[in-house]
Amino acid sequence: MSSVKVDPIVKSSALIGEGPVWEEPEQTLLFVDIIGQKIHRWSPAANHIQSVETADTVGFAVPRRSGGYVAGVGRNIVAVDWQTHKVTSLVEVDEDKPNNRLNDGKADPSGRLLTGTMLRDHPSGERKQGALFSVAPDLTVTKHLSQVDISNGMDWSEDQKMFFYIDSLALTVDAFDHDPSTGHIGNRRVVYHMQEGEGIPDGMTLDAEGRLWVACYDGGRVINIDPATGVRLKTISLPVTKTTSCCFGGPDYSELYVTSASLGLSQSESKQQPLAGSTFRVTGLGVKGRPSYAFSG
């Protein structure tokens, strides 16, 4: 591995920065602040950030093939017109669970949207109230998993035959068999157990070699895992503890962008971590990522 460098590139002090997506046509980075209720778009060329406010928590935003974005706001999948800042509800999930909210989400190679839910808070020890859904281009919603604590990182293998998924409080990274024609998933198994001190698995991405990069919340790191062997290959340390998600980007996808959170730090921790809530760019990894996908609906 060449000389790895970690640089803060968006010092926004996000409450919970999440869901980075590299937009190839514009060469921009899209990400959200879940609790700050904002969708951000950062241009490296101009070092300029634009934002759209949402009326509720926003778990993710991904490009839409027809233009604009889809985002998970509260329990609603919404369309976002970036020019007008108009947000229009498309479909609601977990209608019977008003205390839930959408968390991470991604478009799959076929243009479906995958997203999951979690409890906004965990009062009186309530657990496993979330679920994992797919949304077809015609907005048909399919529930794939229930009994989920915190639905989080997801991605697909290059041949689309495997789906990788994180339910954070299980402290594992899981794999499923995946049928690309239907989106059906099955045969769940664990590919990695988090080790002592690594924190909680959060958002993740795959590189062009099919290896996983997992952001470790409360671990201050991103770990690189070979899903075929379950072996951790590399650990990238960051100057913040609450690392939340990551994606590859840049002109040749050789840069890893990592989001972080500032919410939940004590006063002393905040002083020790002045960059908490920033978005970072990691260079010199010696690997490349893959383009993201857009929602077809």
Side-chain angles (χ1 to χ4, degrees), residues 3-23:
S3 179
V4 174
K5 191 177 179 189
V6 178
D7 294 304
I9 44 112
V10 183
K11 300 178 183 179
S12 60
S13 297
L15 294 174
I16 304 181
E18 260 284 7
V21 179
W22 182 256
E23 299 186 274

Side-chain angles (χ1 to χ4, degrees), residues 80-95:
V80 179
D81 185 314
W82 196 261
Q83 268 60 51
T84 64
H85 289 200
K86 186 178 180 182
V87 176
T88 307
S89 181
L90 299 175
V91 66
E92 185 180 11
V93 301
D94 274 355
E95 297 95 329

Side-chain angles (χ1 to χ4, degrees), residues 151-221:
S151 185
N152 240 321
M154 56 189 78
D155 212 335
W156 294 262
S157 61
E158 185 69 32
D159 63 8
Q160 302 179 39
K161 291 182 179 179
M162 288 181 70
F163 171 64
F164 298 99
Y165 178 67
I166 290 171
D167 179 358
S168 289
L169 297 190
L171 300 179
T172 60
V173 180
D174 295 349
F176 294 79
D177 294 342
H178 175 253
D179 183 336
S181 61
T182 64
H184 177 76
I185 58 172
N187 188 27
R188 186 175 190 168
R189 63 268 190 198
V190 173
V191 296
Y192 186 76
H193 288 272
M194 299 297 286
Q195 304 298 308
E196 185 73 29
E198 286 184 336
I200 299 168
D202 202 330
M204 70 173 164
T205 191
L206 260 73
D207 62 28
E209 298 171 3
R211 288 166 177 164
L212 302 167
W213 296 79
V214 180
C216 303
Y217 185 82
D218 279 344
R221 69 195 72 185

Side-chain angles (χ1 to χ4, degrees), residues 103-146:
N103 201 41
D104 208 351
K106 271 185 185 175
D108 77 4
S110 300
R112 285 177 289 256
L113 179 69
L114 270 284
T115 183
T117 53
M118 60 176 284
L119 266 178
R120 289 178 183 264
D121 303 297
H122 283 270
S124 65
E126 261 192 299
R127 292 281 305 268
K128 298 189 180 297
Q129 296 298 304
L132 176 69
F133 302 91
S134 64
V135 183
D138 66 359
L139 303 183
T140 300
V141 177
T142 302
K143 183 185 285 189
H144 295 275
L145 297 173
S146 56

Side-chain angles (χ1 to χ4, degrees), residues 216-239:
C216 303
Y217 185 82
D218 279 344
R221 69 195 72 185
V222 175
I223 56 174
N224 176 212
I225 299 162
D226 183 348
T229 61
V231 172
R232 183 185 66 240
L233 304 172
K234 302 182 183 79
T235 298
I236 310 301
S237 297
L238 286 95

